[in-house]
Amino acid sequence: MTANVPLNELGEFLKKRRSELSPRTVGLPETDRPRRVEGLRREEVAQLASISTDYYTRLEQGRMQASAPVLDVLARVLHLDDDERGYLFQLAGKTTTRARRRGRQKVQPQLQRVLDDLTATPAIVQGRRGDILAWNALAAALVTDFSRFAERHRNYPRIIFTDPAMRTLYADWEGSAHIAVAQLRMEAAKYPEDPRLIELVGELSLRDKQFARWWGDHHVAARTVGTKTLNHPVVGELVLDWDTLTANTDPDQHLTVWTADPGSPTHERLRILASWAADQDLPASSTVS
C-alpha cells in the first residue's frame, strides 16, 4: 500500500541512525555485556527520548505516526544534523497526503536569462530528481556535453553513476557520488510516490552496488555549497567552489554555479576552458527534462 511508504522509510531511517551511535556517544554507560546489534538498542533510544519502548518499536516498524514533539526529541537523541532533521519531518509529514501528479518541468525564464548571461562561469539548472533542465556552454565543456544524452536520461545522479568519464573527471568520485545519492534521498522524502524517481532508484540500484549500499544507508543532504576538485582532460586540475540558488518561482529548480578565486590557477584555467569551448562550439540548452 503506497500510503505506508513514508512510514516504512521513516522506520528504516531511524534504524540506520541509531545503528551509527554508540552508548558513549549519547552519554550512556558502557558495559561488558555483548551487544547483539550495532549502535544503540531500541530501548536505549526510547529511554533517552522519554517514550515507551513499544511506542518507539512501532515507529521503526512503520506501524504508527510520530507527533512533532516526539520527532524533535528523536532528532536530538539521534544527533541528527539540520538536513537529516528536515528529512525526518518530511517523511513523517507526508504519510497522510497523497502525492500530486506533477507535469514535466521547464527551466524558469529568469534562470534561463541568468544562464544566457554567464559566459565565464559554468552553470546548470537542475529540477526534481536532479534532472538537468538547462546548462550553458561552459558547463558542457567542464562536465560533459549534456545534449548527447537522451532527454529522459539527462539526470545528474544517473550520469555520475553510468558515465565512465565521471569517475576520471571527479578527483573524489566516491565523495561526489555519495552526495548525489544523499541529495536524491532528500528528494524521495518530498515525492515518495514519484514514478520516475522510483524507476531511477531501481535502475541505479541494479546497475551499481555502491549506489544500492549508499541508498540503503539513508544519508541525506540538501543542495547548498561545497568544493570539488576536477581532473579536466583539457586544462588539468580545477579546484572549484559550487553554490546553489533556488528559484522562488519554482522551489524545485536550482541553479548551480562553479567559481574560482580571481587570480588563482583554476580561475585562469577556466578562462582557457571558455576559449576552448567557444572553438568547439559546444551547445548550451534550455530543453525540458
Side-chain angles (χ1 to χ4, degrees), residues 48-287:
L48 291 166
S50 299
I51 57 179
S52 71
T53 301
D54 180 67
Y55 181 95
Y56 181 75
T57 299
R58 288 171 177 267
L59 287 179
E60 280 204 357
Q61 292 175 343
R63 293 193 289 143
M64 68 178 300
Q65 287 183 307
S67 65
V70 168
L71 292 174
D72 265 325
V73 173
L74 288 174
R76 175 176 52 79
V77 167
L78 296 174
H79 293 201
L80 303 186
D81 61 25
D82 289 343
D83 288 346
E84 291 169 332
R85 183 182 181 280
Y87 179 73
L88 179 71
F89 272 78
Q90 285 177 343
L91 288 176
K94 286 192 173 290
T95 55
T96 58
T97 59
R98 189 168 183 82
R100 294 184 290 125
R101 288 187 62 86
R102 294 178 177 271
R104 300 172 75 183
Q105 286 180 292
K106 295 182 180 180
V107 61
Q108 292 291 300
Q110 300 92 325
L111 294 185
Q112 184 60 56
R113 287 195 292 268
V114 172
L115 278 180
D116 293 342
D117 288 340
L118 290 174
T119 57
T121 302
I124 63 172
V125 176
Q126 289 179 265
R128 294 188 295 273
R129 303 170 294 270
D131 291 347
I132 306 295
L133 303 182
W135 63 94
N136 63 8
L138 193 48
L142 177 69
V143 182
T144 187
D145 179 4
F146 297 105
S147 67
R148 68 188 179 89
F149 296 96
E151 184 179 309
R152 184 175 180 82
H153 294 159
R154 208 172 290 150
N155 171 277
Y156 178 77
R158 190 180 193 281
I159 290 171
I160 201 170
F161 275 96
T162 62
D163 186 349
M166 296 299 103
R167 296 174 187 260
T168 302
L169 177 67
Y170 287 100
D172 180 15
W173 178 86
E174 285 202 4
S176 297
H178 199 182
I179 289 174
V181 175
Q183 291 172 341
L184 195 62
R185 257 291 175 194
M186 189 71 89
E187 286 279 306
K190 294 168 64 178
Y191 306 116
E193 296 178 3
D194 180 350
R196 286 190 59 188
L197 191 149
I198 294 170
E199 178 185 350
L200 174 66
V201 170
E203 176 195 357
L204 294 181
S205 295
L206 290 174
R207 294 182 63 156
D208 194 286
K209 292 181 179 179
Q210 284 177 297
F211 179 94
R213 184 174 74 252
W214 292 335
W215 184 260
D217 286 340
H218 286 254
H219 289 296
V220 294
R223 292 191 180 97
T224 50
V225 298
T227 301
K228 290 188 187 298
T229 300
L230 305 184
N231 295 318
H232 197 275
V234 175
V235 296
E237 184 181 83
L238 299 168
V239 181
L240 295 163
D241 296 319
W242 60 273
D243 203 344
T244 304
L245 308 174
T246 301
N248 287 331
T249 48
D250 182 354
D252 285 334
Q253 291 196 27
H254 312 277
L255 173 70
T256 299
V257 296
W258 290 272
T259 60
D261 287 333
S264 67
T266 293
H267 189 260
E268 179 59 29
R269 289 166 189 163
L270 273 183
R271 293 177 60 186
I272 296 172
L273 185 61
S275 176
W276 177 85
D279 291 340
Q280 298 297 310
D281 196 25
L282 289 171
S285 179
S286 61
T287 56

